[in-house]
Amino acid sequence: MFGFHLSTQSHRLHAFVPLFTAFIWFATLLAMLLTWLISGRPKYVTQEGKVAYISDIGASFLKPLFIVGCCITSVGFFLSLVLERLLRHRGRLVPSMRRRERVLEILAIIGSFIGMLGLILLSGFDTKHYTSLHRLFLFIFAVGVILSAIFTVLEYRWLAQDYTDIYRLRRAYLVKAVIGSILIVLAIAFGITLYYASDVGGIIEWVVGFGFTFYLLTFAYDLRMAKFMQGGEMTERSALREKQENPMETRSQNGTPTDAKEAMGHNQV
């Protein structure tokens, strides 16, 4: 199954997943915001200030749209990270040189899975009928995405240091770091203003919501880098680099006696 989808001819399909996800998320939010503005900025039952929250509009007659948009976005976000992992394993993207990068990659996927569950559940348990549950799932979604973003940025930081000759990788790291940092700071500010300044919190929520679109688009850039690599090319490059950095270990694995073994042989003689 993955043999076809991860082939050298399918880099457009790889990038299509986060592109489509970003489009659906942006279109969902835009449709909800325009509906509220065109309707004369009505005040919903759950709305506290003058600015309607995404959740307020999502609990109205637009709830079906909100649920569909959240489900597609959450699954697409999770699949984007899984695709990256599979492409690294197949040598279509730069492979992890050390265990720490593989651990960070797995933790990022787990974070995205937590965020996926949170987003799906918060869309179904709307703020109108399930206020407490909705806020709990909103918190779970935010924590999952934030953790995933932190682990992803750290992973790319180490990869960019290992492969200093690949400028696209460094560019991807810098863009992710900037967008991720801004969204994390805004998410924290939203959590504070949600209880103390309702209108400010509403504005920040919309900014974070639309800003998440750009974070999703960074994965399209990452996956498109598979276009420049043949299957297994990065794996071979990784092996060559390891051979250059650990010549003693490589000689031992190839059956060639190391200096230590040679010395032991001379002592025995």
Side-chain angles (χ1 to χ4, degrees):
M1 176 180 177
F2 288 110
F4 169 75
H5 293 296
L6 300 180
S7 65
T8 57
Q9 303 299 323
S10 58
H11 61 272
R12 291 185 179 87
L13 179 61
H14 306 150
F16 176 77
V17 174
L19 280 175
F20 179 73
T21 302
F23 170 77
I24 292 297
W25 178 248
F26 182 85
T28 300
L29 293 185
L30 184 62
M32 294 171 65
L33 180 60
L34 289 178
T35 299
W36 179 64
L37 293 174
I38 294 174
S39 300
R41 301 181 181 181
K43 188 169 184 178
Y44 298 98
V45 178
T46 56
Q47 185 177 336
E48 297 179 1
K50 296 180 181 179
V51 180
Y53 282 67
I54 297 175
S55 302
D56 295 326
I57 303 176
S60 66
F61 67 95
L62 290 177
K63 183 175 180 178
L65 171 67
F66 187 51
I67 292 177
V68 172
C70 287
C71 289
I72 294 177
T73 301
S74 57
V75 174
F77 175 51
F78 174 71
L79 288 179
S80 296
L81 274 82
V82 172
L83 263 178
E84 276 204 14
R85 177 70 187 95
L86 292 173
L87 288 172
R88 292 196 195 288
H89 179 70
R90 292 288 297 271
R92 295 295 311 284
L93 292 175
V94 290
S96 302
M97 291 286 292
R98 299 175 178 84
R99 180 181 298 177
R100 68 188 176 197
E101 286 132 20
R102 290 190 290 271
V103 171
L104 288 170
E105 190 173 27
I106 293 174
L107 290 175
I109 293 176
I110 293 175
S112 69
F113 182 76
I114 295 173
M116 177 186 72
L117 293 180
L119 185 57
I120 292 175
L121 291 172
L122 75 84
S123 65
F125 292 90
D126 61 77
T127 187
K128 182 178 180 180
H129 301 96
Y130 312 94
T131 305
S132 299
L133 282 175
H134 179 82
R135 293 197 173 186
L136 172 63
F137 294 136
L138 176 61
F139 175 76
I140 292 175
F141 165 65
V143 169
V145 173
I146 288 174
L147 289 177
S148 178
I150 291 174
F151 293 137
T152 300
V153 170
L154 289 176
E155 175 200 357
Y156 269 74
R157 177 180 180 273
W158 292 118
L159 287 173
Q161 289 184 355
D162 290 333
Y163 298 94
T164 55
D165 56 323
I166 304 179
Y167 73 93
R168 294 186 184 89
L169 187 60
R170 180 169 179 79
R171 181 188 300 172
Y173 156 64
L174 292 174
V175 172
K176 276 189 189 302
V178 171
I179 296 178
S181 299
I182 293 174
L183 290 180
I184 290 174
V185 171
L186 288 176
I188 295 174
F190 166 71
I192 297 174
T193 56
L194 175 64
Y195 296 97
Y196 299 101
S198 180
D199 288 338
V200 176
I203 295 174
I204 293 178
E205 184 188 40
W206 284 103
V207 173
V208 172
F210 282 110
F212 186 56
T213 304
F214 296 100
Y215 183 69
L216 291 171
L217 289 175
T218 64
F219 291 98
Y221 178 82
D222 299 340
L223 295 174
R224 187 166 174 76
M225 284 193 283
K227 171 184 178 181
F228 306 101
M229 302 297 170
Q230 300 296 324
E233 178 180 343
M234 291 310 300
T235 302
E236 295 170 0
R237 182 182 297 187
S238 170
L240 178 60
R241 185 184 294 266
E242 288 182 353
K243 181 178 179 181
Q244 294 172 346
E245 293 180 352
N246 303 291
M248 299 291 292
E249 180 180 349
T250 305
R251 289 175 59 194
S252 178
Q253 292 175 350
N254 291 335
T256 303
T258 60
D259 293 341
K261 291 182 179 179
E262 292 175 352
M264 290 177 62
H266 288 305
N267 290 335
Q268 290 176 355
V269 175

